[in-house]
């Protein structure tokens, strides 16, 4: 029975494609995949490889495109589609972008843009989330702009690949030298952030060897904040070009963390004496 | 006249005559290094600084040879960087109307591809002379200022001291002094875009200046958020054209480019006397502006409310500063100055180390390499206090409340931390135990050493 249903469904979808008209009606994710597998297997495979598909709470076709074909593509291209799942307006990943020049221009002008256009060739005056992260409609989200990992340095073999993939996106609008300079600067900036975290890690390792855990609670808390929030802010600030995240939420906050970690260790030391 | 008396006149005179030109010479010499500003000889710029401060650092690419006219630039860059060409085509530069000539790429960047330049305000001022003259005129009002922003960043102690890749973000925002596209983004250069409040918030956001949050939460901002999309932004910033004021409506009324000419409270960063004759003039200007919509009396009251909020804030801040200064006097700061990396860029500090407390001692650059209690005060002053000020100035009562609550809590925490420092200090004295030397913990570390060697 199931097989019969599948054949029928397949027949229906092929028929629909032959008419070159997107079928009307509401669909579930499995139906989208079944039909689009025939149309553009590469796109579906890219999605299956992506973190959108592998994540515990997967971003399915329907999650971004809605459950019908009416404006399905243009709906998914808008920032609002991404922002809901990525933590909302106040999440650093979102806020660092929405306060950047790219995000501001998109916010101000998006209502006048033709969102039916492809996410390429500077079809949009400023890039929305999808323009960079799903450039040219690449459904393996994040491969167009390969994700940097803030806690580890980019290997020299990876470096070229990262720069090349990014360049392919940025050069729609920016000059080659500008892209290279910003990229190199960003890498150095991030490395300085990593350096601060490593400095703290050494201090923590020494302290753990000398004092009881109860005396180091504040230091541990601060160290965690450093690694999980402030270093990430530097990285988000660089990636989304937000000076505020690079500095106040990032580097300047890391400076404060180092002071507080040292202060907490000092106290454990003086009380022990 | 005795010979001795003659000597009393001549010697100081000669010293003065030598010292003044020597001073001028020294300042001039100090600006001649690889960096820029007063400490230019102490640092080397990052390549990206060319884009934030083109006048000092931009050098043309030399990859393409030849001289080009407007249409040639366009036809090539249509393929190389299509986005900027699309932008330019949609701008008034590409179709200025009224029989005016098209403003091509070469008008601002030059013709010779090996000697291209990034346009500075002077270049834009070649045509937009009124706006440029106003923009430059803002300098005479002093800090805070758009026109002085770059100098202020370059001459900041911590900017000079820190690795340059770390402080790139400083110049990114402070570039508002060095180019016009911070507000009128390239290559559209639209006046209407700059009138929208969002145009300001890439820089005017975050802990020390939450202008975005405080404005959007105010009644003015709420009206804008609800209706702004439907307003005609091509209209000048004048009475009757906008239902609610935006950043630019108040700070650049009539479109004048002296953005901070009415600034009285100096960002909330230091205490000022709001009743000087100069500030009375500014107060009248504010009242006149508010009177576009509000009653004069009401406006005066709002400004008086701001005076009161500031007095209250400074009573809290000075209480905290007092605690810190007493600790410093009693030698109880831990680590004390001298047991941590020196205050940036100050040779006197290495001979006679001294903790910086408050605005006038330069604490704005002393937010790292200091003891925890000093950092606590820095955050109280720079984040909680400045936030409260912005809330009060922009009419966001909630932010004022939260800022003052945060200051109250910070003051309590600083008092507790000070008491602890006292207790520990006295304990160490009584037991005649040697005070553990903080230097080992504070003077080394990967970043700390990198910062010392690679500023």
């Amino acid at each position: 029975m199931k097989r019969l249903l599948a054949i029928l469904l397949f027949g229906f979808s092929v028929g629909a494609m032959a008419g070159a008209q997107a079928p009307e009606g509401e669909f579930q994710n499995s139906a989208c995949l079944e039909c689009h597998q025939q149309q553009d297997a590469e796109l579906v495979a890219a999605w299956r490889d992506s973190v959108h598909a592998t994540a515990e709470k997967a971003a399915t076709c329907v999650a971004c495109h809605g459950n019908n074909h009416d404006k399905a593509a243009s709906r998914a291209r808008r920032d609002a589609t991404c922002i809901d799942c990525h933590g909302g307006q106040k999440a650093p990943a979102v806020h660092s972008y929405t306060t950047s020049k790219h995000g501001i221009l998109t916010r101000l002008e998006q209502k006048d843009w033709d969102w039916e256009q492809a996410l390429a060739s500077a079809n949009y005056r400023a890039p929305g989330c999808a323009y960079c992260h799903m450039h040219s409609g690449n459904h393996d989200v994040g491969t167009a702009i390969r994700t940097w990992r803030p806690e580890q340095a980019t290997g020299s073999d990876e470096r070229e690949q990262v720069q090349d993939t990014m360049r392919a996106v940025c050069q729609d609008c920016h000059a080659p030298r500008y892209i290279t300079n910003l990229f190199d600067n960003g890498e150095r900036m991030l490395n300085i952030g990593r350096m601060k975290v490593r400095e703290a890690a050494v201090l923590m390792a020494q302290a753990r060897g000398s004092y009881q855990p109860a005396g180091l609670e504040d230091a541990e808390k601060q160290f965690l904040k450093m690694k999980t929030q402030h270093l990430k802010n530097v990285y988000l600030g660089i990636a989304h070009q937000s000076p505020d995240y690079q500095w106040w939420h990032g580097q300047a906050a890391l400076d404060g963390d180092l002071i507080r970690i040292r202060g907490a260790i000092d106290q454990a030391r003086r009380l022990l004496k | 006249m005795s010979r001795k008396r003659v000597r009393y006149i001549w010697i100081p005179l000669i010293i003065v005559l030598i010292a003044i030109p020597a001073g001028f010479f020294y300042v001039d010499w100090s600006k001649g290094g690889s960096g820029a500003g007063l400490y230019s000889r102490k640092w080397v710029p990052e390549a990206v600084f060319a884009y934030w401060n083109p006048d000092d650092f931009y050098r043309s690419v030399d990859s393409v040879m030849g001289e080009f006219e407007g249409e040639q630039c366009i036809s090539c860059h249509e393929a190389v960087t299509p986005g900027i060409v699309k932008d330019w085509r949609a701008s008034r530069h590409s179709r200025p109307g009224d029989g005016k000539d098209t403003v091509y790429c070469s008008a601002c960047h030059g013709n010779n591809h090996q000697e291209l330049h990034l346009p500075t305000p002077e270049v834009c001022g070649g045509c937009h002379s009124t706006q440029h003259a106003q923009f430059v005129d803002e300098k005479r009002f002093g800090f805070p200022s758009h026109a002085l922003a770059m100098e202020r960043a370059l001459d900041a102690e911590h900017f000079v001291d820190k690795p340059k890749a770390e402080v790139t973000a400083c110049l990114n925002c402070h570039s508002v002094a060095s180019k016009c596209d911070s507000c009128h983004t390239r290559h559209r250069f639209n006046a209407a875009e700059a009138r929208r409040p969002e145009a300001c918030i890439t820089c005017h956001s975050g802990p020390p200046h939450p202008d975005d949050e405080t404005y959007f939460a105010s009644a003015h901002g709420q009206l804008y958020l609800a209706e702004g999309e439907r307003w005609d932004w091509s209209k000048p910033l004048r009475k009757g054209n906008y239902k609610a004021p935006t950043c630019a409506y108040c700070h650049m009324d009539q479109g004048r480019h002296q953005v901070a000419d009415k600034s009285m409270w100096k960002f909330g960063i230091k205490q000022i006397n709001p009743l000087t004759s100069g500030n009375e003039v500014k107060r009248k200007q504010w009242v006149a502006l508010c009177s576009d919509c509000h009653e004069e009396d009401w406006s005066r009251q709002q400004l008086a409310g701001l005076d009161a909020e500031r007095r209250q804030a400074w009573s809290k801040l000075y209480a905290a500063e007092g605690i810190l200064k007493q600790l410093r006097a009693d030698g109880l700061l831990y680590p004390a100055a001298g047991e941590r990396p020196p205050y940036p860029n100050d040779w006197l500090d290495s001979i006679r180390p001294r903790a910086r407390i408050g605005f006038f001692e330069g604490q704005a650059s002393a937010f790292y390499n200091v003891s925890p209690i000093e950092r606590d005060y820095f955050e109280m002053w720079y984040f909680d206090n400045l936030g409260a000020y912005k809330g009060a100035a922009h009419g966001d009562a909630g932010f004022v409340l939260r800022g003052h609550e945060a200051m109250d809590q910070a003051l309590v925490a600083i008092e507790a931390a000070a008491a602890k420092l006292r207790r520990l200090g006295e304990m160490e004295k009584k037991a005649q135990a040697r005070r553990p030397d903080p230097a080992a913990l504070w003077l080394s570390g990967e970043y700390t050493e990198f910062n010392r060697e690679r500023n």
Side-chain angles (χ1 to χ4, degrees):
Chain A
M1 183 63 195
K2 264 188 181 163
R3 190 173 293 175
L4 187 72
L5 202 70
I7 293 169
L8 270 175
L9 210 78
F10 177 70
F12 171 75
S13 44
V14 171
M17 270 188 286
Q21 187 85 52
E24 281 181 27
E26 292 186 358
F27 300 91
Q28 289 196 327
N29 207 53
S30 50
C32 310
L33 288 174
E34 211 152 341
C35 193
H36 282 270
Q37 179 72 39
Q38 311 303 318
Q39 284 196 341
D40 190 345
E42 226 172 278
L43 182 141
V44 174
W47 175 78
R48 283 190 199 284
D49 282 343
S50 76
V51 14
H52 273 172
T54 55
E56 202 177 318
K57 194 177 153 225
T60 61
C61 314
V62 174
C64 304
H65 291 281
N67 64 2
N68 63 73
H69 274 107
D70 183 35
K71 298 202 171 76
S74 63
R75 182 188 300 131
R77 285 177 188 134
R78 288 170 179 269
D79 287 352
T81 307
C82 316
I83 288 172
D84 271 355
C85 287
H86 286 271
Q89 290 290 351
K90 294 209 160 165
V94 173
H95 194 241
S96 58
Y97 162 74
T98 52
T99 50
S100 75
K101 277 293 172 196
H102 289 158
I104 299 286
L105 292 180
T106 303
R107 198 191 318 182
L108 290 180
E109 299 182 13
Q110 58 182 343
K111 73 174 186 352
D112 303 322
W113 291 346
D114 173 11
W115 287 87
E116 293 296 326
Q117 299 174 97
L119 297 167
S121 318
N123 284 335
Y124 299 83
R125 184 178 177 226
C129 312
Y131 189 92
C132 298
H133 292 279
M134 302 188 72
H135 194 250
S136 305
N138 181 346
H139 274 60
D140 189 356
V141 63
T143 42
I145 290 288
R146 187 195 165 284
T147 314
W148 267 341
R149 293 275 143 233
E151 61 277 13
Q152 71 210 25
T154 315
S156 56
D157 50 332
E158 267 183 318
R159 206 163 168 274
E160 284 300 304
Q161 186 210 341
V162 175
Q163 285 216 19
D164 284 350
T165 45
M166 285 195 59
R167 195 184 307 280
V169 176
C170 307
Q171 73 183 8
D172 286 351
C173 299
H174 295 288
R177 186 175 64 158
Y178 179 84
I179 301 167
T180 307
N181 284 343
L182 252 76
F183 196 95
D184 290 347
N185 170 264
E187 204 171 17
R188 282 193 288 273
M189 192 189 297
L190 191 55
N191 277 335
I192 287 169
R194 290 172 179 138
M195 227 182 262
K196 292 179 185 178
V197 174
R198 284 199 298 270
E199 179 164 325
V202 170
L203 292 170
M204 289 307 296
Q206 286 168 348
R208 284 181 197 126
S210 313
Y211 312 108
Q212 293 298 320
L216 291 174
E217 266 174 21
D218 289 348
E220 294 285 1
K221 228 183 275 171
Q222 203 73 42
F223 184 47
L224 190 71
K225 214 185 224 179
M226 202 175 186
K227 287 191 293 185
T228 56
Q229 293 178 23
H230 298 152
L231 180 63
K232 198 172 170 199
N233 286 342
V234 175
Y235 147 73
L236 285 168
I238 295 162
H240 289 156
Q241 281 300 302
S242 158
D244 201 36
Y245 274 79
Q246 290 174 5
W247 181 247
W248 288 112
H249 297 294
Q251 298 287 6
L254 288 170
D255 287 340
D257 296 333
L258 272 175
I259 289 171
R260 298 215 158 95
I261 288 172
R262 285 197 159 98
I265 297 173
D266 261 344
Q267 223 159 69
R269 190 162 66 134
R270 293 176 82 186
L271 284 169
L272 203 73
K273 266 250 175 185
Chain B
M1 207 187 275
S2 74
R3 262 179 124 170
K4 213 170 179 187
R5 280 184 66 183
V6 170
R7 210 183 295 155
Y8 278 136
I9 297 167
W10 278 109
I11 292 176
L13 197 66
I14 289 168
I15 291 174
V16 165
L17 282 175
I18 294 171
I20 290 176
F24 274 102
F25 177 78
Y26 176 75
V27 169
D28 202 47
W29 174 83
S30 70
K31 289 182 175 174
S34 56
L38 283 178
Y39 307 106
S40 73
R41 292 184 178 268
K42 300 196 171 186
W43 55 276
V44 178
E46 284 278 298
V48 289
F49 290 5
Y51 308 114
W52 320 142
N53 185 1
D55 216 13
D56 284 321
F57 300 128
Y58 187 80
R59 300 284 171 275
S60 177
V61 278
D62 50 13
S63 49
V64 179
M65 267 177 67
E67 300 219 347
F68 302 94
E69 296 300 329
E71 283 298 339
Q72 291 172 300
C73 312
I74 296 290
S75 68
C76 194
H77 275 273
E78 200 128 52
V80 183
T81 47
I84 64 177
V85 177
K86 281 183 190 177
D87 240 18
W88 175 80
R89 284 197 195 285
S91 76
R92 271 185 70 192
H93 280 166
S94 81
R95 39 186 170 79
D98 298 339
K100 289 182 196 159
D101 290 336
T102 304
V103 183
Y104 281 108
C105 318
S106 46
C108 309
H109 294 286
N111 293 94
N112 185 336
H113 210 291
Q114 299 205 306
E115 283 167 28
L116 296 174
H117 41 256
L118 285 193
T120 56
E122 287 68 42
V123 174
C124 304
C127 296
H128 304 276
S129 53
T130 309
Q131 287 82 357
H132 179 243
Q134 293 170 340
F135 173 78
V136 174
D137 180 59
E138 194 205 28
K139 287 186 181 180
R140 72 189 164 92
F141 298 96
F143 170 80
S145 152
H146 273 180
L148 292 169
M150 182 54 73
E151 287 175 36
R152 233 186 132 72
L154 296 173
D155 296 344
E157 307 279 354
H158 59 275
F159 175 83
V160 179
D161 179 58
K162 276 183 167 287
K164 292 298 153 293
E166 184 186 348
V167 290
T168 298
C170 306
L171 298 198
N172 198 336
C173 280
H174 284 253
S175 69
V176 70
S178 329
K179 57 203 197 64
C180 299
D181 76 342
S182 299
C183 313
H184 309 277
T185 56
R186 59 190 186 274
H187 283 85
R188 185 78 59 96
F189 309 115
N190 197 346
E193 178 191 313
R195 291 184 186 120
R196 304 287 295 262
E198 284 86 352
C200 315
I201 70 174
T202 302
C203 296
H204 290 270
S205 62
H209 28 57
D211 298 292
D212 54 342
E213 281 180 77
T214 51
Y215 168 74
F216 287 130
S218 73
H220 292 156
Q222 288 290 309
L223 257 175
Y224 165 77
L225 288 176
E227 302 177 9
E229 208 60 76
R230 297 192 293 277
W231 297 346
D232 178 2
W233 292 93
S234 67
K235 287 183 180 170
L237 300 162
R238 269 191 217 120
K239 184 174 180 175
N241 282 348
Y242 294 89
K243 189 172 164 189
T246 53
C247 312
Y249 188 93
C250 295
H251 295 283
M252 303 183 70
D253 49 309
Q254 319 277 329
R256 291 172 319 102
H257 277 57
Q258 296 98 327
V259 183
D261 63 345
K262 298 192 294 296
S263 158
M264 288 161 61
W265 291 276
K266 305 293 173 198
F267 243 69
I269 208 169
K270 59 177 176 180
Q271 195 179 25
I272 55 103
N273 175 1
L275 303 174
T276 60
S277 54
N279 280 337
E280 273 306 317
V281 172
K282 292 178 179 179
R283 194 177 298 263
K284 277 189 187 135
Q285 290 172 333
W286 276 110
V287 171
L289 175 70
C290 302
S291 301
D292 282 2
C293 301
H294 297 285
E295 301 224 341
E296 213 180 293
D297 271 355
W298 186 89
S299 310
R300 280 202 166 273
Q301 278 168 24
Q302 296 300 311
L303 293 168
L306 191 44
D307 292 341
E309 185 279 330
R310 285 291 82 205
R311 269 198 304 277
Q312 216 185 350
W314 279 102
S315 74
K316 295 173 190 183
L317 294 167
Y318 284 147
E321 283 189 18
I323 294 171
L324 260 65
K325 284 180 178 165
Q326 195 57 51
L327 287 172
R328 177 175 67 185
D330 297 342
L332 290 171
L333 288 174
Y334 193 97
E339 295 170 330
R340 58 205 198 196
Y343 185 75
N345 204 32
D346 185 348
W347 61 269
L348 245 178
D349 197 67
S350 49
I351 302 167
R352 190 176 162 277
R354 184 177 156 85
R356 315 277 166 152
I357 296 159
F359 175 83
F360 293 104
E361 294 185 12
Q363 200 181 356
S365 282
F367 56 89
Y368 61 109
N369 291 336
V370 294
S371 74
I373 198 167
E374 291 162 74
R375 172 77 189 203
D376 288 344
Y377 176 62
F378 174 81
E379 290 188 11
M380 175 185 179
W381 167 49
Y382 233 70
F383 300 163
D384 306 334
N385 158 60
L386 297 191
Y389 164 66
K390 294 292 188 179
H394 291 146
D396 174 6
F399 217 95
V400 181
L401 208 65
R402 287 197 298 282
H404 276 267
E405 270 171 16
M407 276 193 272
D408 292 338
Q409 283 166 10
L411 188 54
V412 170
I414 286 171
E415 280 165 356
K420 213 176 213 172
L421 284 169
R422 260 179 208 291
R423 224 172 24 246
L424 280 169
E426 277 156 19
M427 229 163 66
E428 282 159 4
K429 244 187 231 166
K430 244 187 216 160
Q432 291 190 321
R434 273 188 56 198
R435 179 173 173 267
D437 182 12
L441 190 68
W442 288 81
L443 285 171
S444 59
E446 189 181 344
Y447 168 75
T448 303
E449 281 155 41
F450 183 83
N451 185 184
R452 189 155 49 224
E453 288 150 20
R454 298 282 296 278
N455 63 339

